Amino acid sequence: SKDGTLIATADDKGLVRIWTAAVAVAGDDAAPAAFEKPTREINIGMLVSRLAWRNDKLQLAVACADGTIRIINPADGGITGPIGAHDGAISGLVFSPNNQQIYTSGADGFVRRWPTTIPAALTFEGLAKPAKAVALHPNGSLIAVAGEAGSVKILKRADGVVAHTLEGLSGTIAAIAFNRTGNQLATGGTEKIVRVFDVTSGKVVHEAPAAESPIS
């Protein structure tokens, strides 16, 4: 969770576990504190591809391999859903800063917005090809979506209109992230190069030396 007090895990059989984060023992030679048993176990029943905590940790979003999402209430283990989010696997899952929406990207090339009070939804056109990652601007005004063949677009959250299509990328882009102020966007993927773009102009402002392995 955002405050570091809860950890969520999931496996290929759909078992979601919520843990209270262990507190490390002070001292350089001290062993890490052991985890107790999970505080809650919820069986979704199918492979889980993504997890995302709401910023206030009152909900845990779960994306499944069949393209559906579910919302877990950590307090009682209650599940809302499933909701059919995408035609194919979900590749990105994130809550908005105000906790009112969930954004997903999928192999169908779409980015979709879901109010946390499911089931109403707003769909954005994505890349017309499999999407690999999604990121949300810190103030919630923009959405970045990444995919194959160097495809990265920055969309306006209000109406889904494309603000920028980033140039100079190749290969599959598997990782994207806005910086804390939201004026820059970093990308990485199979090309093994991290690039930083100016969000206002859509132009690259920094390119790191190639890494030893793909960036995911």
Side-chain angles (χ1 to χ4, degrees):
S1 58
K2 189 173 183 179
D3 65 359
T5 61
L6 295 176
I7 296 172
T9 65
D11 61 21
D12 58 359
K13 294 180 175 60
L15 183 61
V16 177
R17 291 186 171 102
I18 297 174
W19 311 75
T20 300
V23 178
V25 179
D28 293 339
D29 299 327
F35 281 94
E36 301 294 335
K37 293 181 179 179
T39 56
R40 193 162 303 283
E41 293 187 339
I42 304 99
N43 189 5
I44 300 298
M46 68 178 64
L47 188 152
V48 174
S49 59
R50 293 288 187 275
L51 294 172
W53 280 105
R54 198 166 110 160
N55 299 298
D56 58 9
K57 66 184 179 185
L58 295 182
Q59 292 179 326
L60 176 68
V62 181
C64 297
D66 66 348
T68 62
I69 59 174
R70 292 161 175 79
I71 307 299
I72 292 176
N73 181 345
D76 59 13
I79 301 174
T80 302
I83 299 298
H86 291 272
D87 183 13
I90 294 173
S91 55
L93 181 69
V94 63
F95 276 90
S96 63
N98 65 5
N99 299 317
Q100 298 302 305
Q101 292 93 29
I102 298 167
Y103 289 81
T104 61
S105 65
D108 54 7
F110 287 100
V111 177
R112 292 193 166 100
R113 182 183 77 183
W114 306 86
T116 50
T117 52
I118 297 173
L122 174 64
T123 298
F124 296 98
E125 284 196 29
L127 304 164
K129 59 186 68 178
K132 297 296 183 182
V134 66
L136 195 63
H137 191 279
N139 68 12
S141 63
L142 299 171
I143 310 161
V145 58
E148 296 178 343
S151 300
V152 175
K153 291 183 179 181
I154 299 176
L155 312 174
K156 296 179 181 178
R157 181 198 60 79
D159 52 17
V161 172
V162 176
H164 295 293
T165 298
L166 303 187
E167 305 291 342
L169 298 167
S170 63
T172 296
I173 307 300
I176 50 175
F178 286 98
N179 66 351
R180 191 171 297 181
T181 60
N183 66 330
Q184 293 182 334
L185 178 74
T187 66
T190 57
E191 196 182 9
K192 306 179 184 179
I193 297 174
V194 173
R195 291 183 175 89
V196 179
F197 292 83
D198 179 84
V199 171
T200 301
S201 66
K203 303 298 184 182
V204 64
V205 295
H206 179 71
E207 184 175 303
E212 294 183 359
S213 58
I215 298 163
S216 59

